[in-house]
Amino acid sequence: MDIDNQKFGALAEDISEVLLTPGQIQARLDEIGEKISRDYSGKNPLLVGVLKGVMIFIADLIRVITIPVEVDFMAISSYSPEARDQGMVRLVKDLESPITGRHVLFIEDMVDTGLTLNYLIQTLKMRHPASLEVCAMFNKNKLRLVDVPLKYVGFELPDRFVVGYGLDHRERYRNLPFVGLLKPQAFKKISDQ
Ligand code: IMP
Ligand code: MG
Protein backbone atom coordinates (compact mmCIF):
# COMPACT_ATOMS: atom_id res chain seq x y z
CA MET A 1 0.00 0.00 0.00
CA ASP A 2 1.16 3.50 -0.78
CA ILE A 3 0.92 5.55 2.35
CA ASP A 4 -1.00 8.72 1.60
CA ASN A 5 1.75 11.18 2.39
CA GLN A 6 -0.38 14.13 1.37
CA LYS A 7 -2.86 13.22 4.01
CA PHE A 8 -0.77 11.82 6.85
CA GLY A 9 2.40 13.80 6.22
CA ALA A 10 4.69 13.67 9.22
CA LEU A 11 3.00 10.62 10.72
CA ALA A 12 3.27 8.50 7.57
CA GLU A 13 6.92 9.47 7.24
CA ASP A 14 7.68 7.51 10.42
CA ILE A 15 6.28 4.22 9.09
CA SER A 16 8.69 1.74 7.51
CA GLU A 17 6.16 -0.86 6.44
CA VAL A 18 2.40 -1.20 6.28
CA LEU A 19 1.33 -4.60 7.61
CA LEU A 20 -2.43 -4.23 7.28
CA THR A 21 -4.25 -1.91 4.92
CA PRO A 22 -7.59 -0.25 5.72
CA GLY A 23 -9.19 -2.61 3.18
CA GLN A 24 -7.82 -5.73 4.86
CA ILE A 25 -8.90 -4.44 8.27
CA GLN A 26 -12.43 -3.69 7.06
CA ALA A 27 -12.81 -7.10 5.40
CA ARG A 28 -11.84 -8.88 8.62
CA LEU A 29 -14.11 -6.62 10.68
CA ASP A 30 -17.06 -7.59 8.50
CA GLU A 31 -16.35 -11.29 9.15
CA ILE A 32 -16.04 -10.85 12.91
CA GLY A 33 -19.16 -8.68 13.06
CA GLU A 34 -21.13 -11.36 11.28
CA LYS A 35 -19.92 -14.08 13.67
CA ILE A 36 -20.68 -12.03 16.77
CA SER A 37 -24.13 -11.11 15.46
CA ARG A 38 -24.87 -14.80 14.90
CA ASP A 39 -23.40 -16.07 18.19
CA TYR A 40 -25.03 -13.43 20.38
CA SER A 41 -28.41 -13.21 18.70
CA GLY A 42 -31.08 -12.63 21.36
CA LYS A 43 -28.49 -12.14 24.11
CA ASN A 44 -28.15 -8.34 24.19
CA PRO A 45 -24.39 -8.55 24.81
CA LEU A 46 -22.39 -5.91 26.65
CA LEU A 47 -19.15 -5.05 24.88
CA VAL A 48 -16.49 -3.98 27.34
CA GLY A 49 -13.36 -2.18 26.20
CA VAL A 50 -10.28 -0.81 27.91
CA LEU A 51 -9.36 2.72 26.94
CA LYS A 52 -7.66 4.08 24.99
CA GLY A 53 -6.20 1.67 22.44
CA VAL A 54 -9.50 -0.09 21.80
CA MET A 55 -11.48 3.01 20.80
CA ILE A 56 -11.03 2.68 17.04
CA PHE A 57 -11.65 -1.07 16.99
CA ILE A 58 -14.77 -0.93 19.14
CA ALA A 59 -16.20 1.99 17.14
CA ASP A 60 -15.74 0.06 13.89
CA LEU A 61 -16.82 -3.26 15.38
CA ILE A 62 -20.20 -2.10 16.68
CA ARG A 63 -21.00 -0.75 13.24
CA VAL A 64 -20.68 -4.20 11.68
CA ILE A 65 -22.69 -5.91 14.42
CA THR A 66 -26.31 -6.15 13.35
CA ILE A 67 -27.97 -7.13 16.66
CA PRO A 68 -28.65 -4.89 19.70
CA VAL A 69 -25.48 -4.35 21.75
CA GLU A 70 -24.43 -2.14 24.64
CA VAL A 71 -20.96 -0.69 25.19
CA ASP A 72 -19.08 0.16 28.36
CA PHE A 73 -15.48 1.14 29.11
CA MET A 74 -12.84 0.70 31.75
CA ALA A 75 -9.58 2.58 32.08
CA ILE A 76 -6.41 1.36 33.74
CA SER A 77 -3.35 3.18 34.93
CA SER A 78 -0.02 2.63 33.30
CA TYR A 79 1.78 0.27 35.58
CA SER A 80 5.28 0.21 37.01
CA PRO A 81 7.54 -2.48 35.54
CA GLU A 82 7.33 -4.46 38.81
CA ALA A 83 3.54 -4.43 38.95
CA ARG A 84 3.37 -5.19 35.27
CA ASP A 85 5.43 -8.36 35.75
CA GLN A 86 2.70 -9.67 38.01
CA GLY A 87 0.03 -8.52 35.58
CA MET A 88 -1.32 -6.01 38.05
CA VAL A 89 -3.05 -2.88 36.89
CA ARG A 90 -5.01 -0.22 38.71
CA LEU A 91 -8.55 0.47 37.57
CA VAL A 92 -8.91 4.22 37.17
CA LYS A 93 -12.36 3.99 35.63
CA ASP A 94 -14.71 1.12 36.30
CA LEU A 95 -17.74 0.05 34.28
CA GLU A 96 -20.86 2.16 34.63
CA SER A 97 -23.26 -0.75 34.71
CA PRO A 98 -23.28 -4.00 36.70
CA ILE A 99 -22.50 -7.09 34.62
CA THR A 100 -24.03 -9.79 36.84
CA GLY A 101 -26.10 -12.06 34.62
CA ARG A 102 -25.02 -10.24 31.44
CA HIS A 103 -23.37 -11.75 28.37
CA VAL A 104 -20.09 -9.85 28.36
CA LEU A 105 -17.78 -9.69 25.37
CA PHE A 106 -14.45 -8.21 26.35
CA ILE A 107 -12.92 -6.27 23.47
CA GLU A 108 -9.13 -5.90 23.30
CA ASP A 109 -7.03 -4.08 20.77
CA MET A 110 -3.88 -6.14 21.24
CA VAL A 111 -2.97 -9.20 23.31
CA ASP A 112 0.74 -9.57 23.86
CA THR A 113 1.88 -11.18 27.13
CA GLY A 114 -1.78 -11.57 28.10
CA LEU A 115 -1.08 -10.26 31.60
CA THR A 116 -3.33 -7.19 31.42
CA LEU A 117 -6.14 -9.12 29.86
CA ASN A 118 -5.89 -11.98 32.35
CA TYR A 119 -6.05 -9.60 35.31
CA LEU A 120 -9.09 -7.77 33.95
CA ILE A 121 -10.87 -11.00 33.03
CA GLN A 122 -10.38 -12.35 36.56
CA THR A 123 -11.75 -9.08 37.96
CA LEU A 124 -14.85 -9.27 35.78
CA LYS A 125 -15.43 -12.98 36.50
CA MET A 126 -15.86 -12.16 40.18
CA ARG A 127 -18.97 -10.18 39.24
CA HIS A 128 -20.67 -13.31 37.85
CA PRO A 129 -21.56 -12.45 34.26
CA ALA A 130 -23.78 -14.99 32.43
CA SER A 131 -20.87 -15.47 30.01
CA LEU A 132 -17.51 -13.84 29.41
CA GLU A 133 -15.60 -14.14 26.15
CA VAL A 134 -12.78 -12.18 24.54
CA CYS A 135 -12.53 -10.59 21.11
CA ALA A 136 -9.06 -9.27 20.22
CA MET A 137 -8.29 -7.39 17.04
CA PHE A 138 -4.57 -8.20 17.14
CA ASN A 139 -2.79 -11.12 18.73
CA LYS A 140 0.93 -11.69 19.24
CA ASN A 141 1.60 -15.19 20.51
CA LYS A 142 5.33 -15.10 20.96
CA LEU A 143 5.49 -13.35 24.33
CA ARG A 144 2.39 -14.94 25.89
CA LEU A 145 2.90 -15.51 29.62
CA VAL A 146 -0.65 -16.39 30.65
CA ASP A 147 -3.03 -18.45 28.62
CA VAL A 148 -6.17 -16.46 27.88
CA PRO A 149 -8.79 -18.03 25.63
CA LEU A 150 -9.64 -15.72 22.73
CA LYS A 151 -12.97 -16.44 21.08
CA TYR A 152 -12.54 -14.01 18.19
CA VAL A 153 -9.21 -12.79 16.77
CA GLY A 154 -8.82 -10.29 13.96
CA PHE A 155 -5.20 -10.82 12.98
CA GLU A 156 -2.18 -12.74 14.20
CA LEU A 157 0.82 -10.41 14.19
CA PRO A 158 4.56 -11.08 14.36
CA ASP A 159 6.40 -10.11 17.53
CA ARG A 160 7.07 -6.56 16.36
CA PHE A 161 5.92 -3.26 17.78
CA VAL A 162 3.14 -1.86 15.59
CA VAL A 163 1.22 1.39 15.51
CA GLY A 164 -1.98 2.67 13.92
CA TYR A 165 -5.64 1.69 14.09
CA GLY A 166 -5.78 2.83 17.72
CA LEU A 167 -2.36 1.54 18.74
CA ASP A 168 0.11 4.15 19.85
CA HIS A 169 3.72 4.81 20.58
CA ARG A 170 3.77 7.42 23.32
CA GLU A 171 0.20 8.46 22.45
CA ARG A 172 1.03 9.10 18.80
CA TYR A 173 -0.12 7.30 15.59
CA ARG A 174 -3.51 6.10 16.90
CA ASN A 175 -5.25 7.93 14.05
CA LEU A 176 -3.48 6.11 11.21
CA PRO A 177 -6.10 3.99 9.39
CA PHE A 178 -3.60 1.18 8.75
CA VAL A 179 -1.26 -0.90 10.95
CA GLY A 180 2.42 -0.43 10.39
CA LEU A 181 5.93 -0.74 11.72
CA LEU A 182 7.74 2.32 13.00
CA LYS A 183 11.09 3.32 11.55
CA PRO A 184 13.84 3.02 14.19
CA GLN A 185 14.49 6.76 13.95
CA ALA A 186 10.85 7.44 14.83
CA PHE A 187 11.30 5.75 18.21
CA LYS A 188 14.30 7.96 18.75
CA LYS A 189 12.65 11.12 17.46
CA ILE A 190 9.84 10.89 19.97
CA SER A 191 12.07 10.08 22.92
CA ASP A 192 14.17 13.15 22.08
CA GLN A 193 11.20 15.49 22.30
P1 IMP B 1 -0.11 -7.38 27.49
O1 IMP B 1 -0.93 -8.40 26.74
O2 IMP B 1 -0.42 -7.32 28.97
O3 IMP B 1 1.36 -7.53 27.23
O4 IMP B 1 -0.48 -5.91 27.03
C1 IMP B 1 -1.04 -5.62 25.83
C2 IMP B 1 -1.12 -4.10 25.74
O5 IMP B 1 0.17 -3.57 25.45
C3 IMP B 1 -2.02 -3.69 24.60
O6 IMP B 1 -3.34 -3.44 25.04
C4 IMP B 1 -1.34 -2.45 24.06
O7 IMP B 1 -1.80 -1.31 24.76
C5 IMP B 1 0.11 -2.64 24.40
N1 IMP B 1 0.85 -3.18 23.23
C6 IMP B 1 1.35 -4.43 23.08
N2 IMP B 1 1.96 -4.56 21.89
C7 IMP B 1 1.83 -3.36 21.26
C8 IMP B 1 2.25 -2.87 19.97
O8 IMP B 1 2.85 -3.56 19.14
N3 IMP B 1 1.92 -1.57 19.69
C9 IMP B 1 1.26 -0.77 20.56
N4 IMP B 1 0.83 -1.19 21.77
C10 IMP B 1 1.12 -2.48 22.12
MG1 MG C 1 -4.14 -1.09 25.36
Side-chain angles (χ1 to χ4, degrees):
M1 174 205 177
D2 279 338
I3 301 170
D4 192 340
N5 275 316
Q6 292 296 106
K7 204 162 152 193
F8 288 102
L11 283 180
E13 255 168 39
D14 292 345
I15 303 297
S16 62
E17 195 186 327
V18 173
L19 298 183
L20 298 169
T21 65
Q24 288 172 311
I25 293 172
Q26 188 58 49
R28 189 72 185 119
L29 272 169
D30 290 341
E31 291 174 358
I32 299 175
E34 208 181 300
K35 278 199 195 113
I36 292 175
S37 304
R38 213 183 311 128
D39 294 350
Y40 284 90
S41 173
K43 293 184 168 172
N44 187 32
L46 177 68
L47 272 51
V48 169
V50 180
L51 297 170
K52 297 180 253 186
V54 81
M55 62 178 176
I56 306 280
F57 177 37
I58 214 163
D60 282 352
L61 184 65
I62 57 172
R63 283 178 287 180
V64 291
I65 292 178
T66 52
I67 57 167
V69 288
E70 292 173 35
V71 180
D72 206 344
F73 292 99
M74 297 195 283
I76 56 182
S77 66
S78 34
Y79 26 56
S80 67
E82 301 73 39
R84 193 199 147 88
D85 285 348
Q86 298 159 36
M88 282 170 58
V89 291
R90 194 166 56 90
L91 274 188
V92 292
K93 182 206 174 299
D94 202 343
L95 297 175
E96 282 172 16
S97 49
I99 59 164
T100 310
R102 295 292 307 265
H103 291 283
V104 175
L105 183 56
F106 193 93
I107 312 293
E108 257 287 27
D109 48 352
M110 164 79 77
V111 186
D112 189 7
T113 63
L115 287 170
T116 323
L117 177 60
N118 184 58
Y119 180 84
L120 294 171
I121 288 292
Q122 297 314 321
T123 308
L124 293 183
K125 264 190 189 158
M126 288 190 264
R127 303 179 189 179
H128 304 293
S131 68
L132 181 57
E133 303 284 357
V134 180
C135 170
M137 189 52 171
F138 307 113
N139 184 33
K140 293 194 239 175
N141 251 318
K142 188 113 184 291
L143 292 178
R144 190 62 45 83
L145 296 176
V146 222
D147 183 36
V148 265
L150 307 178
K151 183 153 186 195
Y152 310 93
V153 175
F155 295 94
E156 300 289 341
L157 290 181
D159 182 28
R160 303 281 299 272
F161 190 84
V162 297
V163 294
Y165 199 71
L167 296 167
D168 71 306
H169 173 58
R170 303 207 175 178
E171 296 303 324
R172 201 173 279 189
Y173 309 106
R174 293 192 198 274
N175 53 326
L176 292 175
F178 52 82
V179 172
L181 300 176
L182 269 186
K183 290 178 184 165
Q185 59 264 42
F187 284 104
K188 193 174 174 305
K189 195 163 95 182
I190 293 170
S191 60
D192 284 351
Q193 281 173 1

